[in-house]
């Protein structure tokens, strides 16, 4: 039996833009055990609630992560609104859903690019990121920022989108979707993509459920769970079905994300079709008193916010459980027994967002 | 850019950024902004690199990692602090494990402001850094005095 060797992976590693450290115990080329260690980007952000006004805190919440920044802000706002019993205007709800889906498209296309880079398909990475720039243009036009928006606030939104701008965005979306179809075809059918992904890092439905996987990682193993189905915001009025794949390997996880992009385009069109008229903002008086669990579906999976207010302008406790944190135990399971060369691909298929996880 | 005799290679490390600046650094390398046309390539290996791009501020966990990467880079080298976090600590400067901006640990040559820093300003910062790199090579570089800085 070959000797057991420990190979360190990260924190500064070419395949990952973010620092994560894994100790890989290998025998020959097979990984036998994985010990993850986190904490390189820990900021202690949750404690900032005791120093920032509850209205300003949404800007801090957005800075948990630059990729899903809108949804982090949204989760915080929904929690506080629920505690303070604020009825957000329908137009604000629809616009929030619109931006949330746009974030999902952005995040998934970004991830598809990074995954392509991880399995050595450089040109596909470049093509994915070229398409992503067009989505960022829509963000910049409507919110003013490319990655951090600051558009969501407690009680509504800071900005409205004019109806004729929405119609123009619909046309742009058609163009983006046509471009996207060409790269989606490569992810779906290309021989080398399949060769690197099929049968790699298999997670069965039972394991995924027991280890508490969330989001695309869970849905790729055949379990249909999508937090948007609980109907927060405008999602109760929109028609969609969770995207589910059966195999639980890297290819299935890629396919879930490839198909979710189409779903998000569809949801954005539904939002534009049903967009109600009215104001997007309201006056907020008083301070939050009470506690609430806010559950949302991020691009990476279910995210949980716990917010507790004690009737002063500072919130007492703010806690975030992010999807990557839930997906680390399934990742450790997937890595056990894989080839050393497959480690980067498998790590990327859970779509790790380390700055979310460590905050 | 006429002085650019060689292709400057960069190494990027995410100290404790929120990803915002990191994806903007990556966006610089992809077709829309495409700095590869100037020969600028993102390297994983610090020993190959001339320019060190740091995003995010320094905390107690990553202070040694940043120092290690800096020490491994061959001279002459320049450091670019990208985003307001890397420059001063931004909203996180009040957090309990913050040491501060990157300049608390290693000497920084160019500061790129913004939250998140835009690709245009990142490219501008890197071009400024290349000027400093050239001066360092000819040993004519003198660190400018910063007036009014606290």
């Amino acid at each position: 039996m070959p000797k057991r060797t420990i190979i360190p992976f990260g924190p500064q590693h070419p395949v990952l833009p973010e620092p994560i450290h894994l100790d890989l115990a290998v025998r020959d080329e097979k990984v036998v055990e994985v010990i993850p260690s986190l904490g390189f980007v820990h900021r202690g952000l949750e404690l900032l609630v005791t120093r920032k006004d509850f209205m300003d805190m949404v800007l801090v919440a957005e800075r948990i992560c630059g990729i899903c920044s809108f949804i982090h802000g949204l989760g915080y706002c929904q929690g506080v609104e629920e505690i303070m019993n604020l009825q957000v205007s329908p137009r604000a709800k629809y616009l929030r859903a619109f931006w949330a889906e746009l974030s999902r498209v952005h995040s998934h296309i970004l991830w598809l690019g990074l995954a392509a880079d991880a399995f050595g398909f450089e040109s596909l990475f470049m093509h994915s990121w070229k398409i992503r720039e067009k989505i960022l243009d829509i963000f910049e036009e409507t919110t003013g920022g490319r990655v951090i928006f600051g558009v969501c606030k407690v009680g509504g939104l800071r900005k409205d989108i004019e109806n004729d701008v929405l119609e123009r965005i619909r046309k742009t979306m058609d163009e983006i979707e046509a471009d996207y179809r060409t790269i989606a075809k490569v992810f779906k059918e290309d021989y080398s993509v399949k060769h690197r992904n099929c049968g790699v890092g298999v997670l069965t439905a039972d394991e995924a459920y027991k280890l508490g996987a969330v989001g695309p990682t869970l849905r790729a193993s055949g379990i249909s769970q999508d937090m948007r189905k609980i109907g927060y915001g405008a999602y109760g009025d929109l028609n969609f079905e969770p995207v589910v794949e059966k195999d639980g390997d890297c290819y299935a996880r890629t396919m879930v994300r490839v198909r979710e992009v189409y779903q998000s385009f569809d949801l954005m069109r539904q939002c534009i079709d049903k967009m109600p008229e009215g104001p997007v903002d309201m006056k907020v008086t008083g301070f939050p008193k009470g506690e609430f669990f806010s559950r949302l579906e991020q691009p990476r999976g279910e995210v949980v916010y716990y917010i507790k207010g004690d009737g002063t302008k500072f919130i007492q406790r703010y806690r975030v459980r992010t999807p990557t944190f839930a997906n680390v135990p399934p990742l450790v399971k997937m890595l056990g027994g894989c080839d050393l060369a497959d480690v980067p691909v498998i790590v990327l298929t859970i779509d790790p967002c380390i700055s979310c996880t460590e905050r | 850019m006429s002085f650019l005799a060689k292709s400057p290679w960069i190494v990027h490390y995410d100290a404790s950024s929120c990803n915002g600046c990191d994806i903007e650094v990556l966006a610089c390398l992809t077709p829309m902004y495409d700095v590869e046309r100037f020969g600028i390539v993102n390297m994983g290996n610090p020993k190959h690199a001339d320019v060190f791009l740091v995003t995010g501020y320094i905390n107690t966990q990553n202070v040694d990692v940043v120092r290690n990467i800096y020490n491994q880079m061959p001279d002459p080298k320049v450091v670019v602090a990208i985003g307001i976090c890397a420059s001063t600590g931004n909203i996180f400067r009040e957090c309990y494990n913050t040491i501060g901006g990157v300049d608390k640990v290693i000497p920084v040559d160019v500061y790129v402001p913004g939250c998140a820093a835009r690709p245009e300003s990142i490219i501008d910062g890197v071009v400024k850094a290349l000027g400093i790199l050239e001066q360092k090579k000819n040993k004519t570089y003198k660190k400018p005095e910063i007036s009014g800085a606290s």
Side-chain angles (χ1 to χ4, degrees), chain A residues 253-317:
Chain A
R253 287 189 279 280
T254 312
M255 277 307 110
V256 167
R257 293 190 178 96
V258 166
R259 285 170 53 201
E260 275 190 357
V261 172
Y262 291 125
Q263 184 194 45
S264 293
F265 276 124
D266 180 46
L267 283 171
M268 277 150 68
R269 286 201 189 94
Q270 287 185 36
C271 284
I272 296 176
D273 289 339
K274 294 181 180 172
M275 187 68 70
E277 292 297 326
V280 293
D281 199 3
M282 65 193 291
K283 200 166 154 42
V284 180
T285 49
F287 300 118
K289 186 171 187 186
E291 53 185 346
F292 190 70
F293 272 104
S294 173
R295 297 170 84 191
L296 283 84
E297 183 75 14
Q298 254 193 4
R300 295 170 175 78
E302 179 195 356
V303 59
V304 183
Y305 302 87
Y306 171 70
I307 299 166
K308 186 179 177 191
D310 56 356
T312 61
K313 74 172 181 175
F314 299 111
I315 282 173
Q316 205 177 11
R317 184 81 174 93

Side-chain angles (χ1 to χ4, degrees), chain A residues 11-12 14 17-19 38-45 47-48 51-52 59-60 63-67 106 110 114 122 125-127 129-130 132-133 136-137 140 144 146-148 300 353-355, chain B residues 11-24 26-33 36 43-46 57 59 61-62 65 69 90-98 115-116 118-120:
Chain A
Q12 193 254 338
E18 291 182 276
L38 303 166
F40 291 94
V41 277
H42 177 62
R43 282 161 280 172
L45 185 146
L47 202 70
L48 278 178
R51 307 203 180 168
K52 306 265 180 208
L59 299 173
V60 180
R63 281 162 178 80
I64 292 176
C65 169
I67 302 174
H106 157 218
L110 180 146
L114 289 178
E122 183 97 18
F125 163 63
M126 293 293 182
H127 279 291
W129 280 57
K130 190 174 148 198
R132 176 184 158 265
E133 286 292 338
L136 291 187
D137 286 346
E140 197 172 354
R146 278 166 57 92
V147 288
I148 304 277
R300 295 170 175 78
C353 180
I354 310 302
S355 64
Chain B
V11 61
H12 163 230
Y13 181 69
D14 168 3
S16 45
S17 153
C18 72
N19 276 344
C21 296
D22 304 315
I23 55 177
E24 295 295 52
L26 279 180
C28 293
L29 301 161
T30 48
M32 182 76 173
Y33 295 98
E36 280 197 14
M43 278 288 132
N45 191 336
Y57 69 84
N59 66 18
Q61 275 278 328
N62 61 34
V65 183
I69 296 173
N90 195 14
I91 52 170
F92 305 120
R93 70 186 176 278
E94 294 173 330
C95 291
Y96 51 82
N97 65 342
T98 312
C115 180
R118 296 181 58 85
E120 289 91 342

Side-chain angles (χ1 to χ4, degrees), chain B residues 55-120:
Chain B
T55 52
Y57 69 84
I58 305 293
N59 66 18
T60 43
Q61 275 278 328
N62 61 34
V63 51
D64 291 334
V65 183
V66 170
R67 211 177 269 140
N68 261 340
I69 296 173
Y70 181 77
N71 288 339
Q72 283 179 42
M73 287 170 64
D75 280 324
K77 55 194 163 191
V78 283
V79 178
V80 186
I82 289 175
I84 195 72
C85 290
S87 307
T88 64
N90 195 14
I91 52 170
F92 305 120
R93 70 186 176 278
E94 294 173 330
C95 291
Y96 51 82
N97 65 342
T98 312
I99 292 179
V102 178
D103 51 3
K104 294 269 167 73
V105 184
I106 53 174
V108 174
D109 298 288
V110 181
Y111 297 88
V112 179
C115 180
R118 296 181 58 85
E120 289 91 342

